[in-house]
Amino acid sequence: MLGNFSYCNPTKLYFGEDALENLIVELAKYGNNVALVYGSGSIKKNGIYDEIMDILKFAGKTVSEMAGVMPNPTVHKLYEGVEIARTHKVDFILAVGGGSVVDYAKALSVSIHCEEDPWEKYYARFEEPVCEIVPVGVVLTMVGTGSEMNTGAVITYPEKKLKIGHVFTDERIMPKFSILNPRYTMSLPKNQMIAGIYDIFNHICEQYFSGEDDNTSDYISEGLMKSVIHSSRIAIKDKNDYEARSNLMWSATWALNTLVSRGKSTDWMVHMIGQSVGACSNATHGMTLSAVSLPYYKMIMPYGVRKFARFAVNVWDISPDGKNEEELAKEGLSAMEAWMKELGLAMKLSEIGVTMEMIDDIVNGTLIMEGGYKVLSKEDVRKVLMQSM
């Protein structure tokens, strides 16, 4: 491994079918004015809402609800939440939902006491908070983003056609605790499940496809990818298979809690392009990633052919006998494509509502990152998008 790094992850995880039993213990550590943040109301249909409200009442908490957090939470929803939190003097945020809800809760946590416009401060200038940060706890109901154990918070500004993620450097923004019960994920529609699966896989890819040193992080990444592939094939046949769903939930957390990025540069261009697609189309995040991944990886593969060849052998079990690195690399991407189609992922942008009229806005809204094998130009981004159509 090369370079110097630090690693600190203070989020406490409770995992398993009885994980919610620990909520009462954690609530005792925080303030009485709780903001309960959730999405469209599915937690009311599956009973999770009632369970949590009972625990909050038993703990003597005063609860203000912030419902209706959308899959791509907007800056306007953030402003709305700030006003509610200030009115009710919220001193703890409990996010119940998937990655969008958790991202929103973290954005809210740094915005409640912020004296400036949080969009301008955190998403335009990418500054760090200097104000008080309201602590966040999580009850996770959908896997994929890894937001339950990191500092990332993605917010969309629809009118500007921008979807931007800020990965804060302050570890206080990480959830104080996250409750992970795999059974809570089983009521999700299949398309959301497979979108989450690909989000997990692509998080690992973004950290794997960079660097050429012998890095422990890459060995961990390969193991996680193999686990995701294996469990995904079981889950798409039987979405109620607890073992498969628990492995996917655990892999999702470790895919993006910064562990596998230690000692490495990282890429993130698939996410930058995918997020811009999402800002313009409001398409499901995992599907925006699947639609642009293969054209992107085919573009950068010649610049990192050795790693792509390793990917083929170590992740997809492709025999290297009689093949050069380029041949192996291409076979690895073909195996990945076949698996993506097996899952039923979107393979083209046109499948998720993207039109030619959106291309310029997507290109302009794509942030260029420099950690991968090739630093893309805006014209390169356009090429990826056109091949993805």
Side-chain angles (χ1 to χ4, degrees):
M1 295 179 72
L2 303 176
N4 305 297
F5 63 85
S6 62
Y7 182 70
C8 177
N9 198 315
T11 301
K12 187 171 187 176
L13 298 178
Y14 295 100
F15 191 97
E17 296 183 80
D18 299 327
L20 192 63
E21 293 177 2
N22 299 283
L23 179 58
I24 188 70
V25 175
E26 288 296 331
L27 287 173
K29 302 174 184 178
Y30 305 101
N32 285 325
N33 297 326
V34 177
L36 180 63
V37 178
Y38 56 96
S40 61
S42 60
I43 63 168
K44 291 186 175 180
K45 296 175 184 175
N46 58 28
I48 297 172
Y49 173 88
D50 290 334
E51 286 185 77
I52 290 172
M53 285 300 293
D54 286 345
I55 295 170
L56 287 166
K57 289 175 183 176
F58 184 79
K61 303 298 182 180
T62 300
V63 180
S64 54
E65 297 187 33
M66 298 181 192
V69 177
M70 58 287 289
N72 293 308
T74 68
V75 67
H76 309 299
K77 188 67 176 175
L78 177 61
Y79 295 151
E80 176 190 305
V82 168
E83 289 304 311
I84 294 171
R86 288 174 177 172
T87 298
H88 293 272
K89 296 182 170 55
V90 164
D91 47 25
F92 183 74
I93 302 166
L94 183 62
V96 184
S100 294
V101 170
V102 181
D103 276 20
Y104 175 83
K106 285 183 282 186
L108 183 63
S109 76
V110 297
S111 301
I112 292 170
H113 298 290
C114 182
E115 296 181 356
E116 302 177 61
D117 179 343
W119 175 267
E120 290 298 320
K121 181 173 179 63
Y122 301 132
Y123 294 94
R125 302 197 302 269
F126 286 96
E127 294 176 358
E128 294 298 307
V130 294
C131 62
E132 178 187 349
I133 298 168
V134 179
V136 173
V138 173
V139 178
L140 197 67
T141 64
M142 178 179 176
V143 303
T145 69
S147 191
E148 65 274 9
M149 203 180 193
N150 63 41
T151 62
V154 181
I155 296 294
T156 299
Y157 202 131
E159 292 79 8
K160 294 180 183 290
K161 295 183 171 62
L162 292 173
K163 180 178 178 181
I164 296 177
H166 188 155
V167 180
F168 292 92
T169 60
D170 194 330
E171 65 198 41
R172 292 177 300 161
I173 299 164
M174 297 183 74
K176 301 302 180 186
F177 64 88
S178 289
I179 291 170
L180 281 60
N181 181 345
R183 294 215 179 274
Y184 289 170
T185 70
M186 292 181 183
S187 61
L188 289 169
K190 183 180 179 180
N191 69 313
Q192 290 188 21
M193 179 186 74
I194 62 174
I197 289 170
Y198 191 71
D199 196 16
I200 303 168
F201 192 83
N202 192 247
H203 285 158
I204 306 168
C205 290
E206 301 275 37
Q207 298 163 95
Y208 181 76
F209 288 122
S210 63
E212 296 292 352
D213 59 306
D214 187 27
N215 194 305
T216 298
S217 296
D218 287 335
Y219 292 98
I220 299 171
S221 292
E222 289 164 353
L224 287 170
M225 284 190 277
K226 288 178 77 72
S227 178
V228 171
I229 294 163
H230 173 76
S231 294
S232 70
R233 286 175 164 151
I234 297 170
I236 60 172
K237 293 177 181 176
D238 179 6
K239 71 183 187 71
N240 293 319
D241 186 295
Y242 182 83
E243 188 170 52
R245 300 303 290 268
S246 63
N247 284 331
L248 289 167
M249 181 173 248
W250 195 231
S251 295
T253 300
W254 288 95
L256 201 59
N257 65 4
T258 75
L259 176 72
V260 298
S261 67
R262 297 306 86 183
K264 288 181 58 63
S265 59
T266 53
D267 188 330
W268 299 111
M269 276 312 304
V270 171
H271 268 73
M272 295 304 100
I273 299 171
Q275 286 178 181
S276 189
V277 169
C280 294
S281 67
N282 203 34
T284 301
H285 175 62
M287 297 300 187
T288 69
L289 303 178
S290 65
V292 302
S293 285
L294 286 169
Y296 175 71
Y297 288 130
K298 288 175 181 178
M299 175 179 283
I300 69 164
M301 184 266 287
Y303 304 91
V305 66
R306 182 177 300 175
K307 181 62 72 63
F308 280 92
R310 172 176 167 170
F311 174 68
V313 174
N314 290 1
V315 176
W316 298 104
D317 298 321
I318 294 170
S319 172
D321 294 345
K323 300 165 188 170
N324 60 35
E325 286 184 336
E326 183 178 357
E327 290 169 334
L328 276 171
K330 289 179 178 178
E331 280 197 47
L333 289 179
S334 293
M336 177 176 163
E337 181 177 11
W339 170 69
M340 292 168 70
K341 290 178 178 177
E342 181 184 342
L343 262 59
L345 290 158
M347 305 302 291
K348 296 290 182 183
L349 288 172
S350 53
E351 297 174 35
I352 55 175
V354 176
T355 65
M356 291 299 297
E357 290 73 26
M358 297 178 187
I359 297 297
D360 285 346
D361 285 332
I362 296 171
V363 171
N364 293 333
T366 298
L367 300 178
I368 302 297
M369 308 296 280
E370 298 185 352
Y373 291 121
K374 173 180 168 59
V375 178
L376 268 57
S377 65
K378 289 289 186 178
E379 189 55 37
D380 289 330
V381 173
R382 185 181 298 276
K383 288 178 182 176
V384 169
L385 292 169
M386 293 305 295
Q387 289 169 15
S388 301
M389 289 295 288

